[in-house]
Amino acid sequence: MLLTAALLVLRISADPPSGLTISRSPFTDEGWDVLNARNLIVLGSWAPDDWALQPVNLPFSLASAASFALFGPGLVQARLVSVLATVLTVGLIAWWTQDRWGPLAALVAALAFGCATLVLGHGGTALLEPLVTLFIVAGFVALTSGRGDGSALVAGVLLAAAAATKPSALLMAAGILGVAMLVWPRRVGLAVAAMAAWAAGAGLALLFADPSALDAARRIWAPIEWPSSLADAWQALLRWPEQSDSVAPLAWPLLVAGGIGLLVAWRGTPLERRRELAIVLGWFWIPVVVLLFASYRPNRYLLPVLPALALLAGVGAARIAELVRAAPARIAVASLFVLLVAAPGIGAWAGWMGSGSREIAQMQEEVARLVPAGAAIQGDLAPTLGMSSAARLLTSRPHDGINAGDLFESAGVRWLIGSADEEPAWAGQHRDAWLRRQERACATLGGERVCLYELP
């Protein structure tokens, strides 16, 4: 836990690492995901415009709002939620494996997740996945560790919290509960009942609070394109390595160590432990298969399934150590597993530290200094780069009906954030003002020069 915490905290104000994903999401989505929480603290309203994600990521929005209320809005404050969630996830993984498989399993499992390249890259960013991962792991631990009805109900509440943070968490919950139903039907039934009660309560609350907010959130979700035949499904599987946003090369230590763990742990393991391993396997495979057909699948989407591989890696290390009788050989097994799961991620982290920049945090300070309170800033990067300001931050997505129209006129936009060749939809209607725009501050994000412009 301490190692993961230290690695994440040391990069908490840094720009997202270069080359981690082909998606632009590290720069845009941090601002988008916390925008409603930031609006609540700065403007007094969750959604003063069409951007209303808080109904479908409520636990994350509440946690982010609490961080902003305590420390003020900003990049570091936004990322504190994810850092804490990731560190707690490592702790839960270590506790579960220690309780069943001993200290070596706990050490390897904790390092396998806490030092994974994808975890060190995404686990300290203000995105939904770290909190989803914590709730999924906590739900799994409650379901498999408890024997009474109370633990099953707690598991259901935790898995429902994961889905309330991001609906795609239902895939992980389905993987866990679907396999568990075969061995613990009563336990799973109670967990599903708790999830249903959460969903019913949240649905009624949303219906009375703002029924239009869910539709606004739905419009920005990427669709899933289901295959029309088995042949299409097979082709999607074959294309996965090249279309998975580098999951295989970035997560190979977990894939290798987890695969070894599954192979060596199944035989000779007590029935109860094999049941738990089967649930872990369902947790991994069901969401991976479904995500094959998502039209947009950046590698961070798989962050919540990495703990399953980490648990298998820990179990594998413990089982191999049991089979090796000589003490020096056991030490060698432990050392090899630790190096396999920890060294690649720490090496990637060291490279990020050596070449990293902090232009987002610096640009946030510039925007807060230059833009007056109450002014409106438009742009996909406005929520990220304007996070520390007291301005209204508008992301316009005309194709989704989000903040569409003439924002120069309707919202009083006189500030924009974007690249030099990025032109808002309303620029033609206000050509004179657009041509007289002035560049006030710039930053280079992901190799792209992005500037703050002021219009008369």
Side-chain angles (χ1 to χ4, degrees):
M1 288 178 68
L2 292 177
L3 176 59
T4 301
L7 295 174
L8 293 177
V9 168
L10 286 171
R11 280 190 47 81
I12 197 169
S13 64
D15 295 341
S18 176
L20 184 66
T21 175
I22 59 173
S23 169
R24 199 186 182 202
S25 60
F27 302 102
T28 55
D29 286 31
E30 284 193 286
W32 292 348
D33 285 347
V34 304
L35 179 56
N36 297 115
R38 178 261 180 202
N39 285 342
L40 182 67
I41 301 305
V42 175
L43 305 178
S45 170
W46 284 110
D49 53 67
D50 292 338
W51 191 266
L53 281 184
Q54 78 282 354
V56 290
N57 69 13
L58 189 59
F60 178 85
S61 284
L62 289 173
S64 299
S67 181
F68 292 155
L70 289 172
F71 308 113
L75 184 67
V76 171
Q77 300 91 309
R79 290 176 172 178
L80 281 175
V81 173
S82 293
V83 169
L84 180 60
T86 302
V87 172
L88 290 175
T89 301
V90 174
L92 282 173
I93 289 171
W95 180 84
W96 189 88
T97 46
Q98 165 77 34
D99 182 59
R100 285 159 172 73
W101 299 91
L104 175 58
L107 174 65
V108 171
L111 288 174
F113 179 77
C115 293
T117 303
L118 289 174
V119 172
L120 293 178
H122 295 305
T125 55
L127 299 170
L128 303 176
E129 282 76 14
L131 189 59
V132 170
T133 304
L134 173 62
F135 284 136
I136 291 291
V137 172
F140 167 81
V141 168
L143 185 71
T144 56
S145 298
R147 294 295 181 267
D149 293 349
S151 63
L153 291 172
V154 169
V157 170
L158 290 166
L159 293 174
T165 303
K166 188 166 185 175
S168 60
L170 288 172
L171 299 175
M172 296 79 185
I176 292 170
L177 296 176
V179 177
M181 175 66 78
L182 302 176
V183 291
W184 302 320
R186 175 178 172 80
R187 227 186 283 184
V188 172
L190 290 170
V192 171
M195 293 179 69
W198 175 302
L204 288 173
L206 181 62
L207 181 65
F208 285 104
D210 187 1
S212 65
L214 185 60
D215 181 64
R218 178 192 57 79
R219 282 179 281 171
I220 71 167
W221 291 343
I224 289 182
E225 301 171 354
W226 296 108
S228 57
S229 65
L230 288 176
D232 288 344
W234 178 249
Q235 288 300 316
L237 180 62
L238 294 178
R239 290 194 303 268
W240 184 80
E242 64 185 64
Q243 297 181 353
S244 64
D245 195 13
S246 301
V247 167
L250 291 172
W252 72 265
L254 274 171
L255 293 168
V256 171
I260 292 172
L262 182 63
L263 289 174
V264 302
W266 196 260
R267 295 187 64 182
T269 299
L271 177 61
E272 187 70 8
R273 298 286 86 88
R274 289 206 304 272
R275 287 172 172 172
E276 292 172 349
L277 293 178
I279 294 170
V280 170
L281 200 58
W283 172 4
F284 174 78
W285 275 112
I286 288 180
V288 167
V289 169
V290 172
L291 285 173
L292 285 174
F293 310 112
S295 59
Y296 175 66
R297 47 177 181 266
N299 53 38
R300 73 175 192 277
Y301 281 13
L302 290 178
L303 200 66
V305 306
L306 296 186
L309 292 174
L311 294 174
L312 291 174
V315 171
R319 286 289 290 140
I320 292 176
E322 286 177 7
L323 298 173
V324 176
R325 296 184 178 182
R330 289 188 177 186
I331 294 173
V333 167
S335 300
L336 286 173
F337 263 93
V338 166
L339 285 174
L340 170 64
V341 299
I346 293 176
W349 177 90
W352 301 334
M353 288 295 291
S355 60
S357 61
R358 285 172 166 75
E359 297 210 27
I360 291 178
Q362 294 166 8
M363 190 68 169
Q364 283 186 353
E365 295 176 2
E366 282 292 288
V367 173
R369 181 180 64 85
L370 292 168
V371 181
I377 311 175
Q378 181 183 342
D380 282 351
L381 287 166
T384 299
L385 300 181
M387 195 183 299
S388 299
S389 73
R392 289 180 60 201
L393 309 174
L394 298 166
T395 291
S396 178
R397 297 170 61 129
H399 57 287
D400 293 322
I402 303 292
N403 294 330
D406 185 356
L407 298 182
F408 183 91
E409 184 69 31
S410 63
V413 168
R414 297 299 182 272
W415 298 84
L416 291 108
I417 292 178
S419 60
D421 57 354
E422 194 173 342
E423 187 170 301
W426 47 259
Q429 299 169 254
H430 306 279
R431 182 57 58 182
D432 181 64
W434 175 248
L435 294 176
R436 291 165 58 197
R437 68 191 183 280
Q438 293 184 340
E439 185 181 288
R440 301 299 302 274
C442 294
T444 301
L445 306 179
E448 180 183 19
R449 189 169 185 265
V450 176
C451 297
L452 171 71
Y453 297 96
E454 183 180 7
L455 279 70

